[in-house]
Amino acid sequence: MSVKKLSDIKYSVLDLATVVEGSTPADSFKKSMDVAQLAEKVGYTRYWFAEHHNMMNVASSATSVLIGYIAGGTSKIRVGSGGIMLPNHSPLIVAEQFGTLASLYPGRIDLGLGRAPGTDQTTALAIRGENFNAAHNFPRDIVKLQTYFSNDNAGSKVRAIPGEGLDIPIWVLGSSTDSAKVAAAFGLPYAFASHFAPTYFMEAIQIYRDNFKPSEQLQKPYVMACVNVVAADTDGEAERLATSVKQFFMGVVTGKRQLLPPPVKSMDSIWNVFEEEAVMQMLAYSFIGGPEKIKSELSSFIEQTGIDEVMATSHIFDHQSRMYSYKVFADVLRSSAYAPLV
């Protein structure tokens, strides 16, 4: 594993189309477009949406629709899924949807795949209906997708039109060592959900690298880590803004979800010691601070992990503060010394 510098690392965005207090999903989509256009301007590589269901504060359930919306409002940034949850969809439908997207926006669409439902079991039942108890084989479904995208499938009785013959990069997403083994076996790039599931991150990326088999898509391992980012001009301001994401994750821990709340002066009266411990464990890979703190901690993270790309997700209540956070983060990665963007 070669030692990498900040300037060696690609940087990208993961968006959940988070709904904040006092707003609607429609507002979130417009804000996503603002962020995507900014991201394209300041050098982000890709802009992904995550598929989640039955969450009042997450509006990215119709992931492929949002991908088309953002791709249509930008010109060069890659747009994709982080990810499409394969148990919820037939591989043929996924191939057709992403074949359509890749036909409309050639060379710009990524297909990240997850093996979980992206929701609770009751909602998963509503999504899958009679197929709820059917066996789901993640590696087998990846093979089906690759087959639908291949020119060799032209003689098959079942074809993905559009989709067949198109170059649509497939990524394996995961939060465990199982996904690392799948990504390695298929020779596909690996994106780890370290922004909420940090426990197996280091073990998983080591398994992936140790067992990687080169493929037509990828000759050597490629690791992307998703992390939480709250950047501001000062450490204190970033910590204040970060109380929103801490409340967001407290909703995950307690099961009491809410729209993304505004920041508060202190979390002391909001959580107890056990909730704080659980939330901070989930947020272990978070970069919260001013430019110098972000730069120092990110440099150490890259040196420790050897990642090839970092994907930032930012749950920040105020839209302009969120936009500015992505500006600061990009500038830290683009330059050896921080200089405020104008």
Side-chain angles (χ1 to χ4, degrees):
M1 184 176 69
S2 59
V3 177
K4 296 184 175 69
K5 301 177 295 183
L6 285 180
S7 57
D8 297 326
I9 303 300
K10 292 182 178 180
Y11 50 102
S12 297
V13 174
L14 178 69
D15 191 352
L16 276 64
T18 308
V19 186
V20 307
E21 282 187 15
S23 71
T24 67
D27 298 322
S28 298
F29 301 150
K30 294 174 184 176
K31 292 173 182 177
S32 291
M33 182 63 78
D34 288 344
V35 175
Q37 291 173 343
L38 169 72
E40 182 170 79
K41 181 179 179 181
V42 299
Y44 283 84
T45 299
R46 61 191 94 244
Y47 197 98
W48 283 6
F49 285 100
E51 179 188 344
H52 291 286
H53 301 277
N54 197 30
M55 297 181 183
M56 66 181 300
N57 48 15
V58 173
S60 54
S61 53
T63 315
S64 57
V65 177
L66 288 178
I67 291 169
Y69 168 62
I70 294 299
T74 52
S75 60
K76 59 183 179 181
I77 194 169
R78 299 193 67 90
V79 191
S81 58
I84 291 295
M85 299 295 121
L86 267 184
N88 299 339
H89 312 276
S90 86
L92 175 61
I93 296 300
V94 174
E96 291 171 340
Q97 289 180 346
F98 278 76
T100 301
L101 288 166
S103 298
L104 290 167
Y105 310 105
R108 296 183 55 207
I109 302 300
D110 296 327
L111 175 53
L113 301 172
R115 57 188 295 162
T119 188
D120 58 88
Q121 289 299 298
T122 302
T123 307
L125 175 60
I127 292 171
R128 301 179 199 167
E130 294 180 358
N131 292 323
F132 181 75
N133 293 316
H136 293 281
N137 187 305
F138 187 53
R140 181 193 62 203
D141 285 349
I142 293 176
V143 171
K144 287 182 178 180
L145 272 168
Q146 290 178 323
T147 301
Y148 287 133
F149 288 143
S150 72
N151 284 313
D152 295 339
N153 200 52
S156 173
K157 291 183 179 180
V158 180
R159 301 167 65 185
I161 308 295
E164 189 176 288
L166 297 182
D167 180 18
I168 303 173
I170 292 177
W171 292 66
V172 172
L173 279 60
S175 57
S176 70
T177 55
D178 289 341
S179 57
K181 295 171 185 175
V182 173
F186 280 90
L188 295 173
Y190 185 42
F192 197 90
S194 40
H195 61 301
F196 73 88
T199 304
Y200 297 105
F201 173 56
M202 295 301 294
E203 181 182 357
I205 61 175
Q206 189 62 52
I207 288 172
Y208 169 67
R209 289 174 175 141
D210 288 346
N211 295 278
F212 182 83
K213 296 180 181 179
S215 66
E216 289 185 10
Q217 181 174 333
L218 195 64
Q219 291 300 301
K220 60 181 182 179
Y222 191 96
V223 174
M224 177 162 66
C226 188
V227 299
N228 298 287
V229 174
V230 180
D233 284 332
T234 67
D235 294 351
E237 174 62 6
E239 289 292 347
R240 185 187 74 85
L241 293 173
T243 58
S244 290
V245 70
K246 290 174 182 177
Q247 293 175 80
F248 180 92
F249 273 85
M250 200 176 90
V252 175
V253 168
T254 62
K256 300 175 182 178
R257 297 183 184 274
Q258 58 182 326
L259 300 182
L260 185 72
V264 294
K265 289 183 178 180
S266 172
M267 290 290 295
D268 291 346
S269 63
I270 295 176
W271 58 17
N272 61 42
V273 64
F274 303 106
E275 292 166 343
E276 179 182 6
E277 182 179 355
V279 168
M280 296 312 293
Q281 192 278 328
M282 293 180 73
L283 293 175
Y285 291 114
S286 297
F287 298 89
I288 301 168
E292 292 305 322
K293 183 171 183 281
I294 296 282
K295 178 181 177 182
S296 175
E297 293 183 354
L298 191 60
S299 295
S300 297
F301 177 72
I302 290 167
E303 182 178 355
Q304 179 187 13
T305 61
I307 60 169
D308 302 283
E309 187 169 341
V310 61
M311 178 165 271
T313 186
S314 297
H315 299 289
I316 298 174
F317 179 81
D318 178 71
H319 183 48
Q320 293 305 317
S321 296
R322 182 181 177 219
M323 297 269 285
Y324 190 65
S325 177
Y326 280 117
K327 280 186 179 181
V328 172
F329 191 67
D331 198 68
V332 166
L333 280 152
R334 290 191 306 171
S335 59
S336 56
Y338 174 76
L341 289 167
V342 296

